[in-house]
Amino acid sequence: MSSLDLRQLHDTEFPIPDEMQGNLAITSLSKVYNWSRRSSVWPMLFGLACCAIEMIATAAARYDTARFGMEVMRASPRQSDLMIVSGTVTKKMVVPIVRLYNQMPEPKYVLAMGACASGGGPFKEGYNVVSGIDQYVPVDVYVPGCPPTPQALINGLIALQKKIDGQSLANMDDVPWYGVGPSDPVPIPILGPDIIDPRQMGLIRQQAMAAAAGQPYGLRELPTVPMKIVSKTASAAGMVEVDAISVVDEAAEADRKARRQDAVARKRAFLAKS
Amino acid sequence: MTDQMIAPVRPETVDIDAAIGILKERFPDAVKDDTREGYGGVIVERGQLVEIATVMRDELGFDYLSSATAVDYLGIEDSMEMVYHAYRTTGGSPLVFKAQTPRENSSVPSLIDIWPGVDFQEREAYDLYGIAFPGHPNQKRILMWEGFNGHPMRKDWKEAYYEEEHKPFDSRWPKGMVRRAEELNVYGKNVEYPADFDLSRLSDDTESSLYAGMGLGVNVEALDNTDELKTDRLVVNLGPHHPSTHGVFRMVVTLNGETIETLEPVMGYLHRNHEQIGERNAWLYNMAFTDRLDYICSMSNNLGYALAVEQLMSRGMRYTPPTYRAEVIRVLMVELTRIVNHLWAIGFLLNDLGAFFTPALYAIAEREKILDFFEATAGSRLMCNYMRFGGVFKDLPERIHSTASLLNDKVRDFDTMQYITELITEALPRAVDELDRFLTDSEIVKTRTIGVGYLPAETAIAYSAAGPLLRGSGVAYDVRRAEPYSIYPELDFDVAVRYNGDIYDRYLIRIDEMRESLRILKQILPRLEHTKGESFFAGNKAVYMPRVALGEAYGRVENPKGELGYYVVSQGDPKGPQNPWRYHVRAPSFINLTALGQMCKGQKVADVVAILGSIDIVLGETDR
Ligand code: SF4
């Protein structure tokens, strides 16, 4: 929305006299507040890895995030609203990232761009890789892809705008920075023999005690039911039938199938029309 | 007098075998042929390594140490070894030499006095393998942080999410059972702590060990005795979050006033364990990972890795070299990548000089057109994963859809050949000329860059600099000519070289190289037409998952950023599932940084970002 369209803003039942139509709009404060916030989300100028290249391409001429009021990339966390975590988060780097996150003023949002930032991605098993930034800071939008195309990133940014639109000033849970006050800073991880999340200190201490007492430590009891990813029968591909209890919820599965068929039918109908 | 009449052979020009002969003659006890199956070069007694290396450099003319890396042979020989590849800057193949050390208390004398370029590589070997380098002045961890538990690349070190040695993991394939690694770990994270971990003495000494030994503090007496302006020494951290470090690179700079006294690069913020993951992967899987090394030039990374593995494959039976069309397509992709990279590098160099984003916008606009072509061919804009051992995985498409505004802004459907012809003969030359016209004579660019970040030729060679950094200093060394690969011998192009060794010359080199690339591409076009319909892949799909012979191989290509080399060792069972025993990447960005401190000394702090920009690093490759 480049200029304020009064007709769009006007969303109350309140009658406006004829002679003032076009000059006056009555709306909710939340709407104006959110409209101005969603149209000026300033991302932090902050690239981590390969995804950052696509982030730059998104900001550049062809894809142009200026259309969303997001072209103003700030190098300082103090001036930014959105942290696009664009790439692999390593243990060494997560310390500055958490620090930067804590320095951003509220309201602040985090967008995890790409497989790495969302869950470790192709490098997940690496000894220096954090399996997703959400292990340390809360994430608002996840954008899948390796790297996500600029279109996908824009889709993520629009999702963020929708999220902002949905926040109401009337609900203090939505806007805690007005109600309960700013959120607590995320404790900064420590680089010890391996990275240490201060929130896990108790657990680490417990495990260290177990180790000192000669008990098994570090590993968790295996869950009894492993997740079943492929559910092919023995005849289908000559594979061994997995003899674990299936964790697939039948009802949900049927529901999903029905919805998918619906969607396919809709698409067919649409294609037939055009 | 007779000596001179038979024209004595100059030892610095003899070929590798003769050079090895001379070495063995000089050091009969300390130099032995490496006779293991599939290996080459010599094994050098580590006690005499420095002495022998001096002879190599001074008498045999191997003035350029390209790569130095460690290999852990646990379970095979119970030793570790350092593998070195030395070249002559006049061209030719490498002299490979190795120094072995027991795994316990391992140490190999440092070669930093002979070839200062091994600095970071030895630190890396110390960090990841725990090999000590007596004689190294700054033996600290480089990629991991000080205090990290263990040396992760050793074969007996297991990461927290460890499953099995080889992929594909038996647990996941073909049975399809999977437990998420986080579920098994009690912390739900990718961490593990040593059994004797003492929480009460927890200290984060990463930073203090960094600052110790930087000679901070002021010598008050010395200050009082000068007439100069009294200034305090100041430490400034640039990065890892800094808009001009091209990623997550960090420089700790000590300033005297505005002048730089020391500059210490700190890296590892994007160390994502490429090599260790690569050693668990089957040969093919690494192809996709090479994309993510230098993520601007995925195509040329692919090529280097394919060359290395093809070398190994060629020693076995049933190997067909890549077809001619495959080679043509490879060169097409690689040279387009070079243009992509140089456009990007120049755009962002201007960013670093203060012309924020406008020049970059112009540069990127042209790059998008090339990416459209990559996307249509390989399926992805950035991470192309396009090459295979024996060719490429897909032919060029018949038609491509692109939004590129070659003619106007509509989404159009082009004939591929027409599209790339237009790109190569019109759009790209125009773009290069445009950059040239706007930037080369720009008063501001000239004042900011001429004479700044000077790197003399000898220093560049000593520091193992590569690519535009080396050629900008007057050393005409280009792997495409020095040790040609693919179809480069039949192509007509010049090695760009400039002689002043400053930022401006490195910028000019990039413009020159883009023009040379365009010249190559113009020769590629008729070859593409010519080979249309021919096979783009040698052999059948089974070559995708090759069984390679035992041994080592080193494949290197001239990447846009410099010499990219892959050192691979195969120790696999020739019948079973195979994965590399050692997979090492000689990353140009990483090694080019060795010279950064040298170049910045005595410059102003504002020039640091420009100097860094002129090296053109990418962190995926630096930290791997
Ligand atoms: S998700 Fe893929 S492209 Fe993005 S940072 Fe990770 S490896 Fe790179």
Side-chain angles (χ1 to χ4, degrees), chain A residues 160-179:
Chain A
L160 178 70
Q161 290 191 323
K162 287 201 182 125
K163 173 164 185 165
I164 295 176
D165 281 342
Q167 293 179 322
S168 163
L169 273 177
N171 182 354
M172 280 303 157
D173 284 342
D174 275 357
V175 284
W177 49 91
Y178 285 134

PDB file of all heavy atoms in Angstrom, chain A residues 160-179:
ATOM      1  N   LEU A 160       5.109 -12.887   7.291  1.00  0.00           N
ATOM      2  CA  LEU A 160       5.411 -12.080   8.476  1.00  0.00           C
ATOM      3  C   LEU A 160       4.470 -10.888   8.553  1.00  0.00           C
ATOM      4  O   LEU A 160       3.959 -10.549   9.633  1.00  0.00           O
ATOM      5  CB  LEU A 160       6.862 -11.616   8.422  1.00  0.00           C
ATOM      6  CG  LEU A 160       7.260 -10.734   9.591  1.00  0.00           C
ATOM      7  CD1 LEU A 160       7.329 -11.557  10.862  1.00  0.00           C
ATOM      8  CD2 LEU A 160       8.586 -10.053   9.342  1.00  0.00           C
ATOM      9  N   GLN A 161       4.212 -10.267   7.401  1.00  0.00           N
ATOM     10  CA  GLN A 161       3.286  -9.132   7.403  1.00  0.00           C
ATOM     11  C   GLN A 161       1.913  -9.568   7.880  1.00  0.00           C
ATOM     12  O   GLN A 161       1.245  -8.852   8.622  1.00  0.00           O
ATOM     13  CB  GLN A 161       3.190  -8.552   5.992  1.00  0.00           C
ATOM     14  CG  GLN A 161       4.449  -7.857   5.556  1.00  0.00           C
ATOM     15  CD  GLN A 161       4.265  -7.058   4.288  1.00  0.00           C
ATOM     16  OE1 GLN A 161       3.536  -7.476   3.391  1.00  0.00           O
ATOM     17  NE2 GLN A 161       4.913  -5.921   4.198  1.00  0.00           N
ATOM     18  N   LYS A 162       1.511 -10.760   7.467  1.00  0.00           N
ATOM     19  CA  LYS A 162       0.199 -11.251   7.912  1.00  0.00           C
ATOM     20  C   LYS A 162       0.194 -11.443   9.415  1.00  0.00           C
ATOM     21  O   LYS A 162      -0.778 -11.160  10.096  1.00  0.00           O
ATOM     22  CB  LYS A 162      -0.125 -12.565   7.214  1.00  0.00           C
ATOM     23  CG  LYS A 162      -0.469 -12.367   5.762  1.00  0.00           C
ATOM     24  CD  LYS A 162      -1.254 -13.548   5.234  1.00  0.00           C
ATOM     25  CE  LYS A 162      -1.560 -13.358   3.767  1.00  0.00           C
ATOM     26  NZ  LYS A 162      -1.078 -14.487   2.973  1.00  0.00           N
ATOM     27  N   LYS A 163       1.311 -11.940   9.909  1.00  0.00           N
ATOM     28  CA  LYS A 163       1.395 -12.140  11.349  1.00  0.00           C
ATOM     29  C   LYS A 163       1.253 -10.799  12.072  1.00  0.00           C
ATOM     30  O   LYS A 163       0.542 -10.690  13.070  1.00  0.00           O
ATOM     31  CB  LYS A 163       2.723 -12.794  11.704  1.00  0.00           C
ATOM     32  CG  LYS A 163       2.941 -12.884  13.192  1.00  0.00           C
ATOM     33  CD  LYS A 163       4.034 -13.836  13.581  1.00  0.00           C
ATOM     34  CE  LYS A 163       4.065 -13.924  15.102  1.00  0.00           C
ATOM     35  NZ  LYS A 163       4.810 -15.027  15.601  1.00  0.00           N
ATOM     36  N   ILE A 164       1.921  -9.778  11.538  1.00  0.00           N
ATOM     37  CA  ILE A 164       1.828  -8.453  12.167  1.00  0.00           C
ATOM     38  C   ILE A 164       0.389  -7.959  12.103  1.00  0.00           C
ATOM     39  O   ILE A 164      -0.144  -7.443  13.076  1.00  0.00           O
ATOM     40  CB  ILE A 164       2.789  -7.477  11.475  1.00  0.00           C
ATOM     41  CG1 ILE A 164       4.226  -7.915  11.708  1.00  0.00           C
ATOM     42  CG2 ILE A 164       2.571  -6.063  11.986  1.00  0.00           C
ATOM     43  CD1 ILE A 164       5.258  -7.085  10.986  1.00  0.00           C
ATOM     44  N   ASP A 165      -0.253  -8.158  10.952  1.00  0.00           N
ATOM     45  CA  ASP A 165      -1.642  -7.734  10.808  1.00  0.00           C
ATOM     46  C   ASP A 165      -2.542  -8.350  11.865  1.00  0.00           C
ATOM     47  O   ASP A 165      -3.515  -7.747  12.293  1.00  0.00           O
ATOM     48  CB  ASP A 165      -2.172  -8.139   9.434  1.00  0.00           C
ATOM     49  CG  ASP A 165      -1.708  -7.190   8.359  1.00  0.00           C
ATOM     50  OD1 ASP A 165      -1.281  -6.078   8.731  1.00  0.00           O
ATOM     51  OD2 ASP A 165      -1.755  -7.556   7.175  1.00  0.00           O
ATOM     52  N   GLY A 166      -2.208  -9.580  12.228  1.00  0.00           N
ATOM     53  CA  GLY A 166      -3.083 -10.288  13.155  1.00  0.00           C
ATOM     54  C   GLY A 166      -2.889  -9.892  14.601  1.00  0.00           C
ATOM     55  O   GLY A 166      -3.627 -10.329  15.469  1.00  0.00           O
ATOM     56  N   GLN A 167      -1.888  -9.074  14.878  1.00  0.00           N
ATOM     57  CA  GLN A 167      -1.654  -8.719  16.279  1.00  0.00           C
ATOM     58  C   GLN A 167      -2.534  -7.531  16.647  1.00  0.00           C
ATOM     59  O   GLN A 167      -2.573  -6.542  15.918  1.00  0.00           O
ATOM     60  CB  GLN A 167      -0.178  -8.373  16.487  1.00  0.00           C
ATOM     61  CG  GLN A 167       0.718  -9.590  16.309  1.00  0.00           C
ATOM     62  CD  GLN A 167       2.183  -9.272  16.477  1.00  0.00           C
ATOM     63  OE1 GLN A 167       2.647  -8.221  16.063  1.00  0.00           O
ATOM     64  NE2 GLN A 167       2.914 -10.193  17.077  1.00  0.00           N
ATOM     65  N   SER A 168      -3.215  -7.651  17.775  1.00  0.00           N
ATOM     66  CA  SER A 168      -4.153  -6.596  18.146  1.00  0.00           C
ATOM     67  C   SER A 168      -3.659  -5.848  19.368  1.00  0.00           C
ATOM     68  O   SER A 168      -3.162  -6.442  20.318  1.00  0.00           O
ATOM     69  CB  SER A 168      -5.517  -7.220  18.441  1.00  0.00           C
ATOM     70  OG  SER A 168      -6.289  -6.289  19.153  1.00  0.00           O
ATOM     71  N   LEU A 169      -3.811  -4.539  19.301  1.00  0.00           N
ATOM     72  CA  LEU A 169      -3.414  -3.726  20.457  1.00  0.00           C
ATOM     73  C   LEU A 169      -4.283  -4.025  21.675  1.00  0.00           C
ATOM     74  O   LEU A 169      -3.890  -3.749  22.801  1.00  0.00           O
ATOM     75  CB  LEU A 169      -3.526  -2.245  20.103  1.00  0.00           C
ATOM     76  CG  LEU A 169      -2.317  -1.609  19.447  1.00  0.00           C
ATOM     77  CD1 LEU A 169      -2.622  -0.178  19.092  1.00  0.00           C
ATOM     78  CD2 LEU A 169      -1.121  -1.664  20.366  1.00  0.00           C
ATOM     79  N   ALA A 170      -5.462  -4.572  21.402  1.00  0.00           N
ATOM     80  CA  ALA A 170      -6.363  -4.843  22.515  1.00  0.00           C
ATOM     81  C   ALA A 170      -5.916  -6.048  23.311  1.00  0.00           C
ATOM     82  O   ALA A 170      -6.332  -6.249  24.446  1.00  0.00           O
ATOM     83  CB  ALA A 170      -7.772  -5.059  21.975  1.00  0.00           C
ATOM     84  N   ASN A 171      -5.091  -6.844  22.708  1.00  0.00           N
ATOM     85  CA  ASN A 171      -4.672  -8.067  23.367  1.00  0.00           C
ATOM     86  C   ASN A 171      -3.216  -7.927  23.802  1.00  0.00           C
ATOM     87  O   ASN A 171      -2.311  -7.924  22.986  1.00  0.00           O
ATOM     88  CB  ASN A 171      -4.846  -9.225  22.381  1.00  0.00           C
ATOM     89  CG  ASN A 171      -4.466 -10.542  23.023  1.00  0.00           C
ATOM     90  OD1 ASN A 171      -3.971 -10.571  24.147  1.00  0.00           O
ATOM     91  ND2 ASN A 171      -4.706 -11.619  22.304  1.00  0.00           N
ATOM     92  N   MET A 172      -3.006  -7.830  25.084  1.00  0.00           N
ATOM     93  CA  MET A 172      -1.659  -7.554  25.568  1.00  0.00           C
ATOM     94  C   MET A 172      -0.711  -8.730  25.338  1.00  0.00           C
ATOM     95  O   MET A 172       0.501  -8.573  25.394  1.00  0.00           O
ATOM     96  CB  MET A 172      -1.688  -7.185  27.050  1.00  0.00           C
ATOM     97  CG  MET A 172      -2.087  -5.741  27.265  1.00  0.00           C
ATOM     98  SD  MET A 172      -0.978  -4.612  26.382  1.00  0.00           S
ATOM     99  CE  MET A 172      -1.997  -3.174  26.201  1.00  0.00           C
ATOM    100  N   ASP A 173      -1.287  -9.911  25.089  1.00  0.00           N
ATOM    101  CA  ASP A 173      -0.409 -11.029  24.759  1.00  0.00           C
ATOM    102  C   ASP A 173       0.208 -10.851  23.389  1.00  0.00           C
ATOM    103  O   ASP A 173       1.301 -11.337  23.111  1.00  0.00           O
ATOM    104  CB  ASP A 173      -1.193 -12.344  24.779  1.00  0.00           C
ATOM    105  CG  ASP A 173      -1.435 -12.768  26.197  1.00  0.00           C
ATOM    106  OD1 ASP A 173      -0.722 -12.257  27.077  1.00  0.00           O
ATOM    107  OD2 ASP A 173      -2.341 -13.584  26.419  1.00  0.00           O
ATOM    108  N   ASP A 174      -0.521 -10.140  22.519  1.00  0.00           N
ATOM    109  CA  ASP A 174      -0.003  -9.896  21.178  1.00  0.00           C
ATOM    110  C   ASP A 174       1.103  -8.852  21.193  1.00  0.00           C
ATOM    111  O   ASP A 174       2.028  -8.908  20.397  1.00  0.00           O
ATOM    112  CB  ASP A 174      -1.121  -9.385  20.257  1.00  0.00           C
ATOM    113  CG  ASP A 174      -1.906 -10.533  19.672  1.00  0.00           C
ATOM    114  OD1 ASP A 174      -1.527 -11.680  19.951  1.00  0.00           O
ATOM    115  OD2 ASP A 174      -2.887 -10.273  18.961  1.00  0.00           O
ATOM    116  N   VAL A 175       0.941  -7.881  22.031  1.00  0.00           N
ATOM    117  CA  VAL A 175       1.903  -6.770  22.048  1.00  0.00           C
ATOM    118  C   VAL A 175       2.496  -6.635  23.453  1.00  0.00           C
ATOM    119  O   VAL A 175       2.299  -5.637  24.128  1.00  0.00           O
ATOM    120  CB  VAL A 175       1.232  -5.450  21.599  1.00  0.00           C
ATOM    121  CG1 VAL A 175       1.046  -5.441  20.111  1.00  0.00           C
ATOM    122  CG2 VAL A 175      -0.090  -5.232  22.292  1.00  0.00           C
ATOM    123  N   PRO A 176       3.231  -7.643  23.873  1.00  0.00           N
ATOM    124  CA  PRO A 176       3.698  -7.652  25.269  1.00  0.00           C
ATOM    125  C   PRO A 176       4.583  -6.465  25.604  1.00  0.00           C
ATOM    126  O   PRO A 176       4.695  -6.090  26.770  1.00  0.00           O
ATOM    127  CB  PRO A 176       4.472  -8.976  25.376  1.00  0.00           C
ATOM    128  CG  PRO A 176       4.795  -9.356  23.990  1.00  0.00           C
ATOM    129  CD  PRO A 176       3.731  -8.792  23.130  1.00  0.00           C
ATOM    130  N   TRP A 177       5.184  -5.838  24.589  1.00  0.00           N
ATOM    131  CA  TRP A 177       6.073  -4.720  24.900  1.00  0.00           C
ATOM    132  C   TRP A 177       5.305  -3.526  25.436  1.00  0.00           C
ATOM    133  O   TRP A 177       5.881  -2.627  26.021  1.00  0.00           O
ATOM    134  CB  TRP A 177       6.906  -4.347  23.689  1.00  0.00           C
ATOM    135  CG  TRP A 177       6.117  -4.182  22.421  1.00  0.00           C
ATOM    136  CD1 TRP A 177       5.577  -3.039  21.960  1.00  0.00           C
ATOM    137  CD2 TRP A 177       5.778  -5.205  21.490  1.00  0.00           C
ATOM    138  NE1 TRP A 177       4.922  -3.265  20.786  1.00  0.00           N
ATOM    139  CE2 TRP A 177       5.033  -4.598  20.460  1.00  0.00           C
ATOM    140  CE3 TRP A 177       6.035  -6.572  21.419  1.00  0.00           C
ATOM    141  CZ2 TRP A 177       4.528  -5.307  19.371  1.00  0.00           C
ATOM    142  CZ3 TRP A 177       5.551  -7.269  20.343  1.00  0.00           C
ATOM    143  CH2 TRP A 177       4.804  -6.642  19.322  1.00  0.00           C
ATOM    144  N   TYR A 178       3.990  -3.500  25.244  1.00  0.00           N
ATOM    145  CA  TYR A 178       3.173  -2.469  25.896  1.00  0.00           C
ATOM    146  C   TYR A 178       2.618  -2.955  27.218  1.00  0.00           C
ATOM    147  O   TYR A 178       2.348  -2.170  28.106  1.00  0.00           O
ATOM    148  CB  TYR A 178       2.013  -2.069  24.992  1.00  0.00           C
ATOM    149  CG  TYR A 178       2.440  -1.205  23.850  1.00  0.00           C
ATOM    150  CD1 TYR A 178       2.007  -1.452  22.558  1.00  0.00           C
ATOM    151  CD2 TYR A 178       3.300  -0.137  24.071  1.00  0.00           C
ATOM    152  CE1 TYR A 178       2.424  -0.666  21.511  1.00  0.00           C
ATOM    153  CE2 TYR A 178       3.720   0.649  23.021  1.00  0.00           C
ATOM    154  CZ  TYR A 178       3.272   0.380  21.756  1.00  0.00           C
ATOM    155  OH  TYR A 178       3.696   1.158  20.733  1.00  0.00           O
ATOM    156  N   GLY A 179       2.402  -4.238  27.327  1.00  0.00           N
ATOM    157  CA  GLY A 179       1.751  -4.770  28.514  1.00  0.00           C
ATOM    158  C   GLY A 179       2.742  -5.199  29.554  1.00  0.00           C
ATOM    159  O   GLY A 179       3.179  -4.409  30.391  1.00  0.00           O
TER     160      GLY A 179
END
